[in-house]
Amino acid sequence: MNIGILSDTHNNTDRILKAIEFFNLRCAEFVLHAGDFSYPKSAKYFEKLKCPFLAVFGNNDFDIYEFKKIIEPFGNIYEPPYEFVLDNKTFLLTHSLYTPNKKYDYIICGHTHRPAILKTCNGMIINPGETAGRRYGRSTVALLDTETNRAEIFDLDIFL
């Protein structure tokens, strides 16, 4: 399964739309957002995805009721950490990374604004970096192929 991953969009509409276009062009079958939309109105753009959408709240996402109202017609948003199974793989979707007390195939996190893919003896940790591109000047997302167990970071300014 081809899964798109992003985090820390922080109301940057231009970058959100680029990320959505990227995921749609890359035929993402599912998209995960690891938190920090900032304002609920920026979550509305994700309805343009051509696949299911799942997100968690970040430390800058305050109006939980409004986020749920906006996202629930086309996806889901949960309090982190959120555990789920997709394509027979176990996932933990969270905003801030912490050490869980059980094994997951994939831990998806954000918060640091720094992209990273770490393979561990227990699975893989993926931080797609910041999609907003404001703190470190790079607007990044990730793609995960669960069939090949391969993840890759993409710079949206290079690929679109």
Side-chain angles (χ1 to χ4, degrees):
M1 179 175 266
N2 188 26
I3 300 173
I5 304 168
L6 74 166
S7 185
D8 297 283
T9 51
H10 293 292
N11 301 316
N12 189 329
T13 305
D14 177 57
R15 302 307 173 153
I16 290 169
L17 291 171
K18 281 187 176 188
I20 290 166
E21 182 183 3
F22 177 83
F23 292 139
N24 286 341
L25 286 172
R26 297 290 176 132
C27 300
E29 298 168 82
F30 215 98
V31 170
L32 305 174
H33 191 302
D36 272 3
F37 295 87
S38 292
Y39 295 120
K41 65 181 179 182
S42 67
K44 179 82 171 143
Y45 295 101
F46 289 96
E47 72 182 355
K48 297 175 185 280
L49 286 167
K50 296 178 181 175
C51 64
F53 178 70
L54 177 65
V56 292
F57 296 106
N59 61 304
N60 287 297
D61 300 328
F62 300 112
D63 193 344
I64 292 171
Y65 172 77
E66 191 65 21
F67 273 108
K68 286 183 178 188
K69 188 171 108 179
I70 289 170
I71 292 174
E72 285 181 353
F74 60 86
N76 292 292
I77 187 166
Y78 300 100
E79 289 285 344
Y82 181 70
E83 299 179 16
F84 62 99
V85 175
L86 191 60
D87 197 30
N88 295 314
K89 306 287 184 176
T90 57
F91 284 79
L92 181 70
L93 180 60
T94 187
H95 185 60
S96 299
L97 181 61
Y98 67 94
T99 305
N101 58 3
K102 66 188 233 186
K103 181 186 180 292
Y104 297 93
D105 294 306
Y106 304 104
I107 297 174
I108 311 298
C109 62
H111 188 59
T112 66
H113 294 231
R114 294 188 184 274
I117 298 170
L118 304 165
K119 291 188 178 182
T120 69
C121 57
N122 290 327
M124 188 182 301
I125 300 169
I126 303 168
N127 184 332
E130 62 173 327
T131 302
R134 293 183 180 136
R135 183 175 292 171
Y136 297 112
R138 283 184 70 201
S139 178
T140 56
V141 297
L143 283 177
L144 167 65
D145 184 335
T146 58
E147 290 179 25
T148 62
N149 198 37
R150 183 168 182 243
E152 191 172 351
I153 303 290
F154 293 89
D155 190 319
L156 290 176
D157 290 329
I158 294 171
F159 289 93
L160 291 176

